């Protein structure tokens, strides 16, 4: 995988992934692959900017060689493995009667990951729609709209 060092301070490195734009799932897979690398302490992937920030101990060149050594096939295999692991997690959580989304958020929080920009945009859009509906619609229609939402949520 082609990459370029954008910024570097002692023990910290920001790397820009060159070539094609990777998807969010591919960045998550890349995060998982680099997490296993010896000496890497913390990884933050930035899907929107196409870069990775790493805190590490040890040899900088070995770390860059590891990143450059990740092939498209390795990345594709990691994406499939992530999908399989998430499906398995979902099966376990359904058996335990715990919502999968709740468990995923707890898992992400433990790993120190932040919400992706994609989900932030979706959440912001949903909040704006709700606020607009509450400001524009008359009170009886608002009550009916929110009652409908409650019924839909209960059916899930």
């Amino acid at each position: 995988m082609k990459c370029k060092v954008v910024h570097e301070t002692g023990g910290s490195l920001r790397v820009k992934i060159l070539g094609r734009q990777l998807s969010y799932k591919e960045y998550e897979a890349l995060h998982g692959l680099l997490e296993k690398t010896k000496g890497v302490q913390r990884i933050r992937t930035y899907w929107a900017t196409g870069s990775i920030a790493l805190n590490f101990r040890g040899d900088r060149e070995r770390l860059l060689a590891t990143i450059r050594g990740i092939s498209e096939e390795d990345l594709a295999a990691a994406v499939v493995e992530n999908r399989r692991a998430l499906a398995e997690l979902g099966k376990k959580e359904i058996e335990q009667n715990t919502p999968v989304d709740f468990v995923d958020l707890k898992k992400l929080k433990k790993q120190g990951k932040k919400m992706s920009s994609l989900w932030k945009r979706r959440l912001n859009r949903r909040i704006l729609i709700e606020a607009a509906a509450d400001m524009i619609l008359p009170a009886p229609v608002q009550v009916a709209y929110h009652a409908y939402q409650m019924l839909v949520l209960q059916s899930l």
Side-chain angles (χ1 to χ4, degrees), residues 47 59 64 72 81 88 95 139 146 154-155:
W47 173 74
D59 188 20
L64 289 174
E72 293 287 330
E81 181 58 34
E88 187 62 36
E95 290 170 3
H146 290 300
Q154 283 181 347
S155 67

Side-chain angles (χ1 to χ4, degrees), residues 80-116:
V80 170
E81 181 58 34
N82 283 357
R83 192 175 301 143
R84 187 179 10 253
L86 187 59
E88 187 62 36
L89 176 68
K91 288 177 188 174
K92 288 179 184 176
E93 298 309 321
I94 288 171
E95 290 170 3
Q96 295 174 359
N97 202 20
T98 305
V100 176
D101 292 337
F102 178 71
V103 172
D104 288 346
L105 288 175
K106 286 171 71 176
K107 181 181 174 187
L108 289 176
K109 188 174 182 181
K110 284 181 183 176
Q111 292 176 350
K113 294 183 185 177
K114 295 182 180 178
M115 184 185 297
S116 76

Side-chain angles (χ1 to χ4, degrees), residues 20-118:
R20 69 177 182 88
Q21 175 70 30
L22 300 179
S23 69
Y24 180 74
K25 289 181 182 181
E26 289 173 321
Y27 271 101
E28 286 297 311
L30 185 59
H31 183 280
L33 289 172
L34 292 174
E35 202 171 43
K36 299 172 187 171
T37 305
K38 185 179 178 184
V40 173
Q41 296 174 325
R42 184 173 177 196
I43 305 168
R44 291 168 307 283
T45 55
Y46 299 100
W47 173 74
T49 60
S51 62
I52 304 167
L54 300 146
N55 290 359
F56 67 97
R57 282 191 183 165
D59 188 20
R60 168 192 183 272
E61 293 305 318
R62 192 183 78 221
L63 179 62
L64 289 174
T66 302
I67 295 171
R68 291 182 179 123
I70 296 173
S71 67
E72 293 287 330
E73 292 81 22
D74 295 338
L75 198 56
V79 168
V80 170
E81 181 58 34
N82 283 357
R83 192 175 301 143
R84 187 179 10 253
L86 187 59
E88 187 62 36
L89 176 68
K91 288 177 188 174
K92 288 179 184 176
E93 298 309 321
I94 288 171
E95 290 170 3
Q96 295 174 359
N97 202 20
T98 305
V100 176
D101 292 337
F102 178 71
V103 172
D104 288 346
L105 288 175
K106 286 171 71 176
K107 181 181 174 187
L108 289 176
K109 188 174 182 181
K110 284 181 183 176
Q111 292 176 350
K113 294 183 185 177
K114 295 182 180 178
M115 184 185 297
S116 76
S117 60
L118 176 69

